[in-house]
Amino acid sequence: MRRFPLRFKIAGFAAGLVVLATGLLALFTVILPWRAKLRQQENIASSLVQTALPLGIDLRADGAHFDPARVHALVANSSRVQGIEIVYALLWDDKGNLDTAASSVNTDLLQKLYPPLAQFYLRDSARFLQALAQGKKQPGIRRLPIRLAAQNRQDAIGRLDLGLSTVAIDQELRRSLQRDAAVLAATLLLAIAGALWISRRIAQPLANLSGAMGRLQQGDFEVRAHDGQNANDEVGDLARAFDAMADGLKERERLRGTLGRYVSDPVAERILSEESDLLLRGEVRKVTVMFLDVRGFTAMSERIAPGEVVALLNEYFDVVVDRVTANGGTVNKFIGDAAMCIWGAPTAHEAAERSAVACALQIQEAVARLSADRARRSLTSVGIGIGINAGEVLAGNLGAARRLEYTVIGDAVNLAQRLESQARAGEVLISQAVYEKVASWVTAEPREPVKLKGKSQPVPLWIVSGAKAAATEAA
């Protein structure tokens, strides 16, 4: 649909109102009075005929006979009566025959109105009267038919058609219409100009607000509706409401960013999309869990200042968060110098085991480079042990109504933590369940099964040393 600016709609509406008002004004002040004058002219003519013409009618046995002198006097002297001018009078007898002898034409008036017709009448009056009788109309002449009847008789004795001059009335009408047209044009121009000015004052803030909404939709939360803030009308209310909405969205985005720093982005999106945080109830999911821990952290923390400890952990955990996110996992929580990472919750992951193992190998490589760099700078360096397991867990919001945490619990989680406790610095230990999923992709060596807490039988372990060359090239 073609876009039509609001200011043009307002201007068109104002112009329409002006045209309507002027038309109504012309109707009541010009058209209706003009018609009233025509009716008044007809009434005067009818009264004049009823007064003067009966004296010139002679009723005989063979019919009514009209006195031509009376008709000629009626036509010739009509101009003496104010508001009426009779151009011609045509008389018909009771049989419908035109009486050319009794019919009359005001030659002087006809010469003033239509000189060619006056010349025609002077050359051939009978033919001219026949042409008038045939009903040929002339502008400025209005025909008034009058039925003629004698006193004490109901039947008509003839008909009289008067040609009344409406030139004076029409000229007054034209002058009035020209005056009103000039007033209409001037008023219309002023109305359109004023409407455009007013509509611009209204539409421009709305257009700016529309542009600001577009920028806000694109993520510019600093945009504000500056034009309409001080307006004391509906536009001002809309602008202030828009600014309040922009502030709310800005605060929401700040909370989203802050929340994303404490929980993973998928968890943050899931929390913000729910109507209530409590709707994230527990659900059984197939996940892969990775635990990692800084080896020798207790002894190290006794040697260096707390501020240096925090800086060291943050530098190493930057590597962890970066690699986990790049491989589609989420850092569920930090537990002192340890971290718990998940693949498969809250969103499913098709190759969770492979992604987790690839992430662990990348973390060990990045940690080795970071430790070497810190050693060159004479800074304390550490090693990280990693354990990975896969299985079904219970995932959801755990805690109290006033303090919730999205996490996973279950035997698969406990086993992953036990594997991490068995890993030495730089090692990646995986369970049998994980190994079966990645055996064709990684180079791994079995480790002697160990008896872990909570397990009745020794648990087989695998040490992953790296990805196979063919698998690496395929990836």
Side-chain angles (χ1 to χ4, degrees), residues 261 290-295 297 300 309-325 331 333-341 359 363 366-367 370 374 382-386:
R261 299 178 66 180
M290 179 178 74
F291 275 89
L292 57 88
D293 182 74
V294 176
R295 294 295 176 248
F297 176 75
M300 176 196 64
V309 173
V310 173
L312 180 146
L313 290 179
N314 287 341
E315 191 169 0
Y316 277 91
F317 284 151
D318 277 343
V319 173
V320 173
V321 173
D322 179 67
R323 293 297 87 208
V324 171
T325 303
V331 179
K333 66 180 70 177
F334 292 101
I335 312 168
D337 62 326
M340 172 182 170
C341 308
C359 176
I363 288 175
V367 166
L370 176 60
R374 289 181 62 87
V382 296
I384 291 180
I386 300 177

Side-chain angles (χ1 to χ4, degrees), residues 93-114:
D93 59 19
D94 56 349
K95 297 180 180 60
N97 299 317
L98 177 65
D99 189 345
T100 57
S103 299
S104 178
V105 175
N106 189 332
T107 309
D108 295 336
L109 185 57
L110 185 61
Q111 177 68 31
K112 183 171 63 175
L113 296 177
Y114 300 106

Side-chain angles (χ1 to χ4, degrees), residues 216-288:
L216 182 64
Q217 186 179 14
Q218 294 175 0
D220 183 5
F221 298 103
E222 299 296 332
V223 64
R224 293 296 181 271
H226 299 293
D227 291 346
Q229 285 184 346
N230 299 324
N232 190 21
D233 53 17
E234 289 80 359
V235 175
D237 295 339
L238 185 61
R240 287 185 287 273
F242 172 80
D243 289 348
M245 179 183 69
D247 290 336
L249 291 176
K250 179 181 178 182
E251 179 64 16
R252 183 178 184 274
E253 194 65 19
R254 187 189 69 82
L255 292 176
R256 180 196 293 271
T258 302
L259 182 62
R261 299 178 66 180
Y262 288 90
V263 298
S264 64
D265 288 340
V267 174
E269 292 290 340
R270 178 74 179 275
I271 292 174
L272 293 174
S273 65
E274 297 289 350
E275 295 180 0
S276 172
D277 296 340
L278 296 177
L279 293 179
L280 289 175
R281 298 182 178 91
E283 55 182 347
V284 176
R285 301 188 72 96
K286 177 69 167 56
V287 301
T288 299

